[in-house]
Amino acid sequence: MQQDMRLWIGTDLSEQEFGDLAEELVLRDDATLLPHLLLFAERHADFWPGTRGQLVLAGMLRVLVDTLEAGETDKVLDALSSCPAALAQQALDLLVTALPEGALETPAELDDAMAFCIAILAGASGQRDAVAVFLDQARPGRAEGFYGPPAARIAAHFAPAADKTGAFKPKLIVWDLDDTLWHGTLADGDAPVLIEKRATFVRAFNRHGVVSAICSKNELAKAREALEGFGLWDAFVFPRIAFVPKGAVIRQMIADMQLRPENVLFIDDNPHNLHEVADAVPGISVVDATSGECDALLERLLAENAHVEKSRVADYRLLETKVAERAADQLSDEAFLVQSGIHATFTNRMDNLEFAERIEELVNRSNQLNYTQSRIEPGTIRDKIQNIDHYEVLCAFVWDKYGYYGLVGVAVYAFRTQTLEHFAFSCRIMHMGVEDAMIRELAERGYPLHASPAFRKPLPPQSSRAITILSYADADVRARVLAEEAPRDWSKVDLRIMADCQSGAFFHYSRHQAVTDFDNAPRLFSLPQMKCGAYREQAFPRHLVYTAATDYIDWRWEKFSREIDHALFLECADMFVDMAVRGGHKVLLFLPPEGLGLKMYELHKGCVPERSRVWHPVLNHYWRGVAAKFPGVFTLVELAEVLAPDELIHAHHYVPSALQRISAMIDDWYDTETAALGLSRAA
């Protein structure tokens, strides 16, 4: 298996050695190994028509059909991504000869796997327009639940690229070297002279989210030495430098980088290479490095990406390491995922306000893994995050032994329609099973989505079995994510907002974020914790904000009672007050409105609004007494005196503009308290 890897440094295999390698790979019955064979198929074109080559093709067809029968359509599509069109046609011809005479005239009588294999080989051979037509002809009489999703996946994979003139959005630029990045030809002994403008383009695109790779017919060692001399080697990812045909190499590169050809630009000075790549990789954009159009195009693309202020080089460097390690270890998909040590955690509700811009960017940039094919109007996701009565926004953060991938998945679920508005993922986690993990997480929260009509493309078959799910409520997990996404010095935290699900909104609008921490279920404080002692595991800085409504709902007390018990409430509240007084804390206490219409006390599913409305004035009365008794500790705010009726979603939840005003009140209170503390210390 190591033989094929030697070709990257310019060595070659004899036809006998290539045949031995081909037979070995096919006998392993693993479709994921076929790209290692197909990548160099064109260099051994004379091998395939012979008896030995035909036997290898027959074995390859067996592997493909077996893989399709196992329901692993994506494995076959990935395996054939490196297959030359001519060889795909040979394989298709061989497959057809093995079928009963006239079988293609009645495709509905073929087995599902056989129909899929014929369609995929037809697409790989260049007959992209025929794929969807053939699959539709084969559809009658089949079980749509089994046939439909793979057929849709195959049809989408080979769908002809739409006209994208003026709308090209690159994620990858593949550069030739000789007479493209520099003047001169290394193989001819020339001393390369760097084209400074092109080097500037490479560095600038890296800063603005578009990565660069290399595909060059050169000796790797010499090319690397030259690039290092120019200080450019580390500016590129996935360098493919060898004397091999560029079409197959770039096709495999795009597959390894988990991108679409429609988001790739190839630059070369050789017209033959440009035509070869354009033919081998349908949908890719190519440009002649010697034309005036080249630099003009690069300048336009750079200007269009100037708003992106994120380098993705590290992301693809991580992926490059994974591809190389997997090839070296010869692992199956599942074994590779297991040994990768994948971990994921999910954030919900107000925790996601910190990541609002990234959520919008992910949904709006994702194409391959945007399963709802939807987009978000920039600046609007914050409203849905805060509208917790109508939406659940769930985000996935992932890391493994190779590195940290960040926020790579978003689901936005609308309660009213009970459907997904958005379900999108980063291509960096393709084939890792994160989609399945997200669906399982949503199902655990009460939102089963396997049959959701919002899905516009089939979900991948990968299971999430290899992923270890961690709770974001775990302090170490949260610290791990925030250290990457929003670094802060936790030793400076002096203010904690304990307002259950609205805490994050107050934090989001605060001007004191550097010294503030906030609650978000299940990471929160509530009065029953005083009774069971769970509060001792939490940190309470000097300044606390507490919304009393947090504990005005029956289910908060379910560990001790089916509903609010007045005596138990008083016991726990007294313990909290004692902790605040003895601990030298300052507490800003918000009381919810009372005496509203009955509908305003329909606080949650199963709530009895009549009981809720009765309890509010009773419990508010207790807190008013506390504030009167300890005015130096508790500062009381009556929200009924602050909020207008149209700012209430219900008695406990408020519209974003109200949340912003409450946050400003918290800031002003904190400023007053810290200023007073400073004066007392000075005195």
Side-chain angles (χ1 to χ4, degrees), residues 221 249 416 475:
V249 170
R416 284 179 176 173

Side-chain angles (χ1 to χ4, degrees), residues 23 77 84 183 254 309 339 370 386 397 475 533 552 565 681:
E23 290 173 345
L77 291 171
H183 294 300
I254 293 172
E309 297 182 357
Q339 68 87 37
N370 188 333
Q386 295 178 77
F397 292 81
Y552 286 15
D565 178 279
R681 285 176 175 171

Side-chain angles (χ1 to χ4, degrees), residues 159 181 267 289 294 297 345 453:
L181 187 66
I267 305 175
C294 182
L297 173 63
T345 191

Side-chain angles (χ1 to χ4, degrees), residues 395-411:
C395 294
F397 292 81
V398 176
W399 60 94
D400 62 16
K401 75 174 189 178
Y402 299 100
Y404 176 79
Y405 299 93
L407 197 167
V408 293
V410 175

Side-chain angles (χ1 to χ4, degrees), residues 256-323:
D256 287 342
M257 295 181 71
Q258 301 175 353
L259 294 172
R260 299 190 311 154
E262 289 79 4
N263 297 119
V264 180
L265 174 65
F266 173 53
I267 305 175
D268 200 298
D269 66 298
N270 188 319
H272 173 79
N273 291 337
L274 293 171
H275 285 287
E276 176 194 342
V277 170
D279 183 63
V281 190
I284 195 171
S285 296
V286 300
V287 64
D288 188 339
T290 65
S291 70
E293 176 192 0
C294 182
D295 287 349
L297 173 63
L298 292 172
E299 287 174 356
R300 177 173 66 79
L301 294 176
L302 186 58
E304 291 172 355
N305 284 273
H307 66 285
V308 180
E309 297 182 357
K310 176 180 174 60
S311 171
R312 293 184 169 83
V313 172
D315 297 335
Y316 284 100
R317 190 85 70 210
L318 185 155
L319 185 57
E320 186 178 358
T321 301
K322 291 177 66 174
V323 169

Side-chain angles (χ1 to χ4, degrees), residues 547-577:
T547 56
T550 298
D551 294 298
Y552 286 15
I553 45 183
D554 289 333
W555 58 261
R556 189 75 75 192
W557 299 85
E558 61 188 2
K559 185 171 183 177
F560 302 102
S561 174
R562 292 179 57 187
E563 56 190 38
I564 296 175
D565 178 279
H566 194 212
L568 179 60
F569 177 92
L570 294 178
E571 178 185 358
C572 293
D574 284 346
M575 292 174 67
F576 172 69
V577 171

Side-chain angles (χ1 to χ4, degrees), residues 181-182 194 199 202-203 206 224-236:
L181 187 66
W182 57 55
L194 184 66
V202 171
R203 297 186 179 103
N206 278 345
R224 177 168 182 167
E225 182 181 4
L227 287 164
E228 288 177 339
F230 294 132
L232 283 173
W233 175 255
D234 290 333
F236 293 94

Side-chain angles (χ1 to χ4, degrees), residues 344-478:
T345 191
F346 298 96
T347 57
N348 74 324
R349 292 189 169 184
M350 301 300 184
D351 275 332
N352 288 324
L353 281 172
E354 290 191 85
F355 317 122
E357 291 183 2
R358 170 58 184 151
I359 292 171
E360 292 180 348
E361 178 194 33
L362 175 58
V363 173
N364 290 335
R365 281 180 58 90
S366 177
N367 289 302
Q368 281 175 285
L369 304 187
N370 188 333
Y371 296 99
T372 49
Q373 296 291 284
S374 53
R375 296 291 186 242
I376 293 177
E377 184 69 26
T380 63
I381 193 62
R382 286 184 175 86
D383 290 341
K384 292 188 176 181
I385 292 172
Q386 295 178 77
N387 191 354
I388 58 177
D389 295 285
H390 295 111
Y391 292 96
E392 174 75 280
V393 178
L394 196 66
C395 294
F397 292 81
V398 176
W399 60 94
D400 62 16
K401 75 174 189 178
Y402 299 100
Y404 176 79
Y405 299 93
L407 197 167
V408 293
V410 175
V412 179
Y413 184 85
F415 296 146
R416 284 179 176 173
T417 59
Q418 297 186 337
T419 58
L420 282 168
E421 289 190 359
H422 304 287
F423 196 71
F425 298 82
S426 166
C427 63
R428 297 200 303 278
I429 51 82
M430 186 181 290
H431 307 316
M432 289 172 65
V434 179
E435 297 95 333
D436 182 58
M438 178 76 88
I439 285 177
R440 291 175 182 273
E441 182 71 17
L442 286 164
E444 287 185 10
R445 294 167 184 259
Y447 318 125
L449 300 170
H450 288 289
S452 174
F455 292 135
R456 300 295 180 86
K457 57 194 307 185
L459 295 172
Q462 281 83 12
S463 164
S464 57
R465 286 192 297 269
I467 301 177
T468 299
I469 306 298
L470 303 174
S471 172
Y472 194 67
D474 184 297
D476 291 338
V477 174
R478 183 171 177 237

